[in-house]
Amino acid sequence: MVRLGMPESDYPDIRELHLFSEMADEPFMTLMRGAYVQNFPPRIELITEGDSSDFLHIVLSGSVDLFSSWNGRETSMATAWPVSTFILAATIKDAPYLMSARTLEKSRIALVPSQDVRAVFDADQGFARAIVSELAQCYRSVIKAQKDLKLRSSLERLANHLLQQQKHSGDVNEFDLQFEKRRLASVLGMTPENLSRAFKALHPYGVEIDGSHVRIADLGELKRFAKPDPLIDDPST
Amino acid sequence: MVRLGMPESDYPDIRELHLFSEMADEPFMTLMRGAYVQNFPPRIELITEGDSSDFLHIVLSGSVDLFSSWNGRETSMATAWPVSTFILAATIKDAPYLMSARTLEKSRIALVPSQDVRAVFDADQGFARAIVSELAQCYRSVIKAQKDLKLRSSLERLANHLLQQQKHSGDVNEFDLQFEKRRLASVLGMTPENLSRAFKALHPYGVEIDGSHVRIADLGELKRFAKPDPLIDDPST
DNA sequence: CGCTATGTTGATCCATATCAATAAGTGTGG
DNA sequence: CCACACTTATTGATATGGATCAACATAGCG
């Protein structure tokens, strides 16, 4: 785990991020000069819920699990992929993290001091607009997740998740799960045992599983069962 | 239901809203001049999920149920009280509403054209900061709700809800439920029947119910069961 | 005052969790 | 490269939280 000021070679990647692409050069450089980049091995806890939010985190490569605990139980809330930020809301409100974060694999993470983010927000209109847009996007994602949880059974959630993955994989009829099944179960709000059975229960709708490989034999049939809804399942809207 | 430009007598109330208190006078007046105020009877559907977001809504009096539907099922997602906004994220992203809204009682609602909100966001830094703060707050609320749903049983959710209400009522040991039980059940993600039984199941922990009146005989005992957590139950953090 | 929606209670069913045993990977050190 | 340990995945048996269905009580409300 190496800690150092951000190498300038990372600037272009970050600059392309929706969050930073519309801002002026000077405030961008202010942010970058205060930032760090770190390389983390898998399964390292980056932040712990309840801690104060000193840095905005940006996933440059790898992936990060956002999870929460209560009373000895734990659940996966979301996954952060490159190139995106996490714990933006805590940074902005200068409030404690509501979720913990751990690397899922070897990951490269940029850390931007929260106070710099707040200061540059006031100084650069393009950045302000991007922050608000990103935050609104995050909000809408959680609302969709909550609808998914409250309105659907676990089998329906799995079916719709598979449809999302299928679309994400370029509308082919075979693809690999991007999560460990154990985590997928947690994300979908069920136990690993129940996930195993849910996969079998989707067999009549043309879903075949081999390890982490998924084949959807009859997309129409699966859709008929899953009843996907853009207001729950579309990542973009 | 009367529709008219906003009477100037409403300006001070709205001006005090966190969202509008830090902005300059001129952009505030721009927003107000384009705004409408309407009085609605109870149980009127104000917006329907999927519709495009033409107005930012502000509850001036009464209360509004935010709910969602899928495949014939329906669930209450949140309640908007005076004085607060709703569907801010949709307004900002210029995206379709993810939730529907209906008045719970006779309510007075201000409607500010979404395009004015977006325009003034760019023009006034105080407003921009307030928007981002409000949005971050909304995001954190949903995250807390999702943790509540995924980490707790319905009985634990009810117990913690009662503790919140008790605190909200000024730390007295008796208070009235602010929701219809039917809605409370939906908010907590359970059926009305199950809620009835859950109240009884909390009796051993010192909870007594008479209609919508709640008495908490032993706060310590209830807390011992509910294990409230500021990162889930504190509305402020 | 009666109609209609809400709330309660009981009986039953079903989805999902839990517990337990086994199998299959996956990574590590000899 | 293999043996071992450890984690993950599967499967079966069982328990339980919560939903559903039905009957009845109750409370608002026109």
Side-chain angles (χ1 to χ4, degrees):
Chain A
M1 194 184 323
V2 184
R3 180 178 183 130
L4 67 173
M6 185 180 298
E8 297 203 2
S9 59
D10 282 321
Y11 289 8
D13 279 356
I14 296 181
R15 193 67 158 123
E16 276 172 28
L17 234 188
H18 165 71
L19 202 54
F20 301 104
S21 61
E22 299 298 319
M23 65 193 300
D25 282 331
E26 195 236 300
F28 177 72
M29 292 308 287
T30 303
L31 284 178
M32 290 304 101
R33 272 192 297 269
Y36 287 89
V37 170
Q38 298 190 31
N39 289 298
F40 295 94
R43 289 168 193 270
I44 292 293
E45 190 157 324
L46 302 172
I47 61 180
T48 303
E49 51 183 347
D51 286 358
S52 70
S53 51
D54 299 325
F55 295 93
L56 175 65
H57 289 57
I58 306 170
V59 189
L60 299 178
S61 71
S63 55
V64 173
D65 182 29
L66 301 175
F67 66 99
S68 281
S69 307
W70 177 80
N71 194 26
R73 300 165 211 170
E74 183 183 306
T75 189
S76 275
M77 303 284 290
T79 310
W81 302 99
V83 180
S84 72
T85 63
F86 58 93
I87 52 119
L88 179 56
T91 290
I92 284 162
K93 301 261 348 165
D94 196 10
Y97 300 133
L98 294 179
M99 298 181 275
S100 302
R102 72 165 76 90
T103 53
L104 287 166
E105 55 195 302
K106 198 164 164 301
S107 301
R108 190 169 170 77
I109 314 282
L111 304 164
V112 184
S114 294
Q115 58 189 50
D116 291 356
V117 173
R118 290 190 291 268
V120 172
F121 178 90
D122 288 333
D124 189 284
Q125 198 183 86
F127 186 59
R129 214 178 306 136
I131 288 255
V132 93
S133 175
E134 168 110 350
L135 205 48
Q137 184 69 53
C138 290
Y139 173 79
R140 288 170 64 88
S141 293
V142 198
I143 290 288
K144 285 178 221 162
Q146 198 178 326
K147 290 170 69 171
D148 194 44
L149 275 172
K150 291 187 79 177
L151 291 167
R152 288 172 171 164
S153 71
S154 61
L155 197 57
E156 288 163 342
R157 289 198 294 276
L158 176 60
N160 280 291
H161 176 83
L162 291 179
L163 288 176
Q164 269 181 261
Q165 290 303 306
Q166 189 267 350
K167 196 171 213 172
H168 184 77
S169 308
D171 271 305
V172 294
N173 63 358
E174 295 192 40
F175 56 91
D176 285 320
L177 295 173
Q178 30 183 355
F179 301 152
E180 203 175 48
K181 283 185 185 163
R182 187 186 175 70
R183 261 202 86 235
L184 177 58
S186 184
V187 167
L188 294 177
M190 57 210 276
T191 58
E193 295 96 321
N194 194 26
L195 178 65
S196 259
R197 290 172 182 127
F199 274 124
K200 295 220 163 136
L202 288 180
H203 199 221
Y205 302 101
V207 174
E208 291 161 35
I209 300 289
D210 179 22
S212 68
H213 192 78
V214 181
R215 205 172 83 80
I216 295 181
D218 186 343
L219 192 63
E221 190 62 25
L222 184 58
K223 279 188 178 164
R224 212 143 33 239
F225 170 75
K227 298 185 175 60
D229 178 336
L231 299 180
I232 302 180
D233 304 293
D234 249 18
S236 53
T237 64
Chain B
M1 194 185 324
V2 184
R3 181 179 183 130
L4 66 174
M6 185 179 299
E8 298 203 0
S9 60
D10 282 320
Y11 288 9
D13 279 357
I14 296 180
R15 191 65 158 126
E16 276 172 27
L17 233 189
H18 165 71
L19 202 53
F20 302 104
S21 61
E22 299 297 320
M23 65 194 298
D25 282 330
E26 195 237 301
F28 177 71
M29 292 308 287
T30 304
L31 284 178
M32 292 303 101
R33 272 191 297 270
Y36 287 89
V37 169
Q38 296 191 32
N39 289 299
F40 295 94
R43 290 169 193 269
I44 291 295
E45 191 157 324
L46 301 172
I47 62 180
T48 303
E49 53 183 344
D51 286 359
S52 69
S53 52
D54 299 325
F55 296 95
L56 175 64
H57 289 55
I58 306 171
V59 189
L60 299 177
S61 71
S63 55
V64 173
D65 182 28
L66 302 175
F67 64 100
S68 281
S69 307
W70 178 78
N71 194 28
R73 301 164 211 170
E74 182 183 309
T75 188
S76 275
M77 303 284 288
T79 310
W81 302 98
V83 179
S84 73
T85 62
F86 57 93
I87 52 119
L88 180 56
T91 289
I92 284 164
K93 301 263 343 168
D94 197 9
Y97 299 133
L98 294 178
M99 298 182 274
S100 302
R102 71 164 77 90
T103 52
L104 286 166
E105 53 195 305
K106 198 163 164 303
S107 301
R108 188 170 170 78
I109 314 281
L111 304 165
V112 184
S114 294
Q115 58 189 49
D116 292 356
V117 172
R118 290 190 290 269
V120 171
F121 177 91
D122 287 334
D124 188 285
Q125 200 183 84
F127 186 59
R129 215 179 306 138
I131 288 256
V132 92
S133 175
E134 168 109 350
L135 205 48
Q137 183 70 53
C138 290
Y139 173 79
R140 289 170 64 88
S141 292
V142 197
I143 290 289
K144 286 178 223 164
Q146 197 177 324
K147 289 171 69 172
D148 195 43
L149 273 173
K150 291 187 80 177
L151 291 167
R152 288 172 171 164
S153 70
S154 62
L155 197 57
E156 291 164 339
R157 290 197 294 277
L158 175 59
N160 280 291
H161 177 82
L162 292 179
L163 288 176
Q164 269 181 263
Q165 289 304 307
Q166 190 268 348
K167 196 171 213 171
H168 184 77
S169 309
D171 270 306
V172 293
N173 63 358
E174 296 192 39
F175 56 91
D176 285 319
L177 295 173
Q178 32 183 351
F179 300 152
E180 202 175 50
K181 283 185 186 163
R182 189 185 173 71
R183 262 202 85 235
L184 177 58
S186 183
V187 168
L188 293 177
M190 57 209 276
T191 57
E193 296 95 321
N194 194 23
L195 178 63
S196 259
R197 289 171 184 128
F199 274 124
K200 296 219 164 137
L202 288 180
H203 199 222
Y205 303 101
V207 174
E208 291 160 36
I209 300 289
D210 178 23
S212 67
H213 192 77
V214 181
R215 205 172 83 80
I216 296 182
D218 185 343
L219 192 63
E221 190 61 25
L222 184 57
K223 279 189 178 164
R224 212 143 33 239
F225 171 75
K227 297 185 175 61
D229 179 336
L231 299 179
I232 303 180
D233 305 292
D234 249 17
S236 55
T237 66

